[in-house]
PDB file of all heavy atoms in Angstrom:
ATOM      1  N   ALA A 948       3.674 -29.046 -14.856  1.00 86.00           N
ATOM      2  CA  ALA A 948       2.881 -28.726 -15.999  1.00 86.00           C
ATOM      3  C   ALA A 948       3.727 -27.989 -17.091  1.00 86.00           C
ATOM      4  O   ALA A 948       3.606 -28.282 -18.266  1.00 86.00           O
ATOM      5  CB  ALA A 948       1.721 -27.760 -15.612  1.00 86.00           C
ATOM      6  N   THR A 949       4.642 -27.124 -16.661  1.00 83.00           N
ATOM      7  CA  THR A 949       5.495 -26.407 -17.538  1.00 83.00           C
ATOM      8  C   THR A 949       6.402 -27.408 -18.315  1.00 83.00           C
ATOM      9  O   THR A 949       6.470 -27.328 -19.572  1.00 83.00           O
ATOM     10  CB  THR A 949       6.429 -25.472 -16.783  1.00 83.00           C
ATOM     11  OG1 THR A 949       5.669 -24.734 -15.827  1.00 83.00           O
ATOM     12  CG2 THR A 949       7.149 -24.465 -17.704  1.00 83.00           C
ATOM     13  N   VAL A1089      -1.803 -31.018 -20.304  1.00 94.00           N
ATOM     14  CA  VAL A1089      -1.006 -31.099 -19.114  1.00 94.00           C
ATOM     15  C   VAL A1089      -1.824 -31.479 -17.853  1.00 94.00           C
ATOM     16  O   VAL A1089      -1.177 -31.947 -16.870  1.00 94.00           O
ATOM     17  CB  VAL A1089      -0.282 -29.707 -18.860  1.00 94.00           C
ATOM     18  CG1 VAL A1089       0.565 -29.323 -19.988  1.00 94.00           C
ATOM     19  CG2 VAL A1089      -1.308 -28.616 -18.521  1.00 94.00           C
ATOM     20  N   SER A1114      -0.330 -19.039 -12.053  1.00 93.00           N
ATOM     21  CA  SER A1114       0.424 -18.078 -12.787  1.00 93.00           C
ATOM     22  C   SER A1114      -0.006 -16.638 -12.560  1.00 93.00           C
ATOM     23  O   SER A1114       0.778 -15.736 -12.909  1.00 93.00           O
ATOM     24  CB  SER A1114       0.391 -18.422 -14.263  1.00 93.00           C
ATOM     25  OG  SER A1114       0.693 -19.782 -14.510  1.00 93.00           O
ATOM     26  N   ALA A1128      -4.816 -27.357 -14.934  1.00 93.00           N
ATOM     27  CA  ALA A1128      -3.395 -27.185 -14.754  1.00 93.00           C
ATOM     28  C   ALA A1128      -2.860 -26.087 -15.609  1.00 93.00           C
ATOM     29  O   ALA A1128      -1.757 -25.578 -15.319  1.00 93.00           O
ATOM     30  CB  ALA A1128      -2.676 -28.527 -15.016  1.00 93.00           C
ATOM     31  N   VAL A1129      -3.581 -25.657 -16.657  1.00 93.00           N
ATOM     32  CA  VAL A1129      -3.080 -24.580 -17.470  1.00 93.00           C
ATOM     33  C   VAL A1129      -2.889 -23.352 -16.605  1.00 93.00           C
ATOM     34  O   VAL A1129      -2.065 -22.462 -16.996  1.00 93.00           O
ATOM     35  CB  VAL A1129      -4.062 -24.304 -18.613  1.00 93.00           C
ATOM     36  CG1 VAL A1129      -5.363 -23.771 -18.125  1.00 93.00           C
ATOM     37  CG2 VAL A1129      -3.460 -23.390 -19.655  1.00 93.00           C
ATOM     38  N   ARG A1130      -3.576 -23.185 -15.536  1.00 92.00           N
ATOM     39  CA  ARG A1130      -3.477 -21.979 -14.672  1.00 92.00           C
ATOM     40  C   ARG A1130      -2.195 -21.975 -13.861  1.00 92.00           C
ATOM     41  O   ARG A1130      -1.904 -21.020 -13.116  1.00 92.00           O
ATOM     42  CB  ARG A1130      -4.714 -21.902 -13.730  1.00 92.00           C
ATOM     43  CG  ARG A1130      -6.038 -21.804 -14.549  1.00 92.00           C
ATOM     44  CD  ARG A1130      -7.218 -21.422 -13.664  1.00 92.00           C
ATOM     45  NE  ARG A1130      -8.438 -21.465 -14.436  1.00 92.00           N
ATOM     46  CZ  ARG A1130      -8.874 -20.466 -15.260  1.00 92.00           C
ATOM     47  NH1 ARG A1130      -8.062 -19.401 -15.370  1.00 92.00           N
ATOM     48  NH2 ARG A1130      -9.954 -20.567 -15.963  1.00 92.00           N
ATOM     49  N   CYS A1131      -1.432 -23.032 -13.905  1.00 91.00           N
ATOM     50  CA  CYS A1131      -0.267 -23.181 -12.997  1.00 91.00           C
ATOM     51  C   CYS A1131       1.057 -23.383 -13.748  1.00 91.00           C
ATOM     52  O   CYS A1131       2.056 -23.705 -13.167  1.00 91.00           O
ATOM     53  CB  CYS A1131      -0.458 -24.426 -12.106  1.00 91.00           C
ATOM     54  SG  CYS A1131      -2.022 -24.370 -11.180  1.00 91.00           S
ATOM     55  N   VAL A1132       1.085 -23.077 -15.031  1.00 88.00           N
ATOM     56  CA  VAL A1132       2.318 -23.343 -15.814  1.00 88.00           C
ATOM     57  C   VAL A1132       3.441 -22.472 -15.507  1.00 88.00           C
ATOM     58  O   VAL A1132       4.618 -22.758 -15.766  1.00 88.00           O
ATOM     59  CB  VAL A1132       2.003 -23.353 -17.305  1.00 88.00           C
ATOM     60  CG1 VAL A1132       1.128 -24.463 -17.750  1.00 88.00           C
ATOM     61  CG2 VAL A1132       1.437 -22.020 -17.804  1.00 88.00           C
ATOM     62  N   LEU A1133       3.146 -21.274 -14.923  1.00 85.00           N
ATOM     63  CA  LEU A1133       4.224 -20.378 -14.495  1.00 85.00           C
ATOM     64  C   LEU A1133       4.175 -20.073 -13.041  1.00 85.00           C
ATOM     65  O   LEU A1133       4.400 -19.008 -12.522  1.00 85.00           O
ATOM     66  CB  LEU A1133       4.105 -19.050 -15.278  1.00 85.00           C
ATOM     67  CG  LEU A1133       4.327 -19.115 -16.806  1.00 85.00           C
ATOM     68  CD1 LEU A1133       4.077 -17.824 -17.525  1.00 85.00           C
ATOM     69  CD2 LEU A1133       5.765 -19.602 -17.130  1.00 85.00           C
ATOM     70  N   SER A1134       3.828 -21.076 -12.202  1.00 86.00           N
ATOM     71  CA  SER A1134       3.543 -20.880 -10.795  1.00 86.00           C
ATOM     72  C   SER A1134       4.741 -20.501 -10.003  1.00 86.00           C
ATOM     73  O   SER A1134       4.730 -19.659  -9.128  1.00 86.00           O
ATOM     74  CB  SER A1134       2.850 -22.133 -10.215  1.00 86.00           C
ATOM     75  OG  SER A1134       3.745 -23.294 -10.314  1.00 86.00           O
ATOM     76  N   ILE A1182       3.922 -19.825 -24.265  1.00 83.00           N
ATOM     77  CA  ILE A1182       4.859 -20.742 -23.660  1.00 83.00           C
ATOM     78  C   ILE A1182       5.147 -21.849 -24.687  1.00 83.00           C
ATOM     79  O   ILE A1182       4.245 -22.481 -25.310  1.00 83.00           O
ATOM     80  CB  ILE A1182       4.337 -21.378 -22.377  1.00 83.00           C
ATOM     81  CG1 ILE A1182       5.355 -22.333 -21.739  1.00 83.00           C
ATOM     82  CG2 ILE A1182       2.986 -22.048 -22.503  1.00 83.00           C
ATOM     83  CD1 ILE A1182       5.119 -22.644 -20.273  1.00 83.00           C
ATOM     84  N   LEU A1187      -1.230 -18.538 -24.842  1.00 90.00           N
ATOM     85  CA  LEU A1187      -1.818 -18.858 -23.546  1.00 90.00           C
ATOM     86  C   LEU A1187      -2.629 -17.638 -23.147  1.00 90.00           C
ATOM     87  O   LEU A1187      -2.014 -16.620 -22.780  1.00 90.00           O
ATOM     88  CB  LEU A1187      -0.786 -19.241 -22.532  1.00 90.00           C
ATOM     89  CG  LEU A1187      -1.234 -19.856 -21.217  1.00 90.00           C
ATOM     90  CD1 LEU A1187      -1.815 -21.198 -21.445  1.00 90.00           C
ATOM     91  CD2 LEU A1187      -0.018 -19.963 -20.273  1.00 90.00           C
TER      92      LEU A1187
END
Side-chain angles (χ1 to χ4, degrees):
T949 315
V1089 301
S1114 308
V1129 69
R1130 302 191 183 279
C1131 306
V1132 293
L1133 295 173
S1134 60
I1182 183 165
L1187 190 66

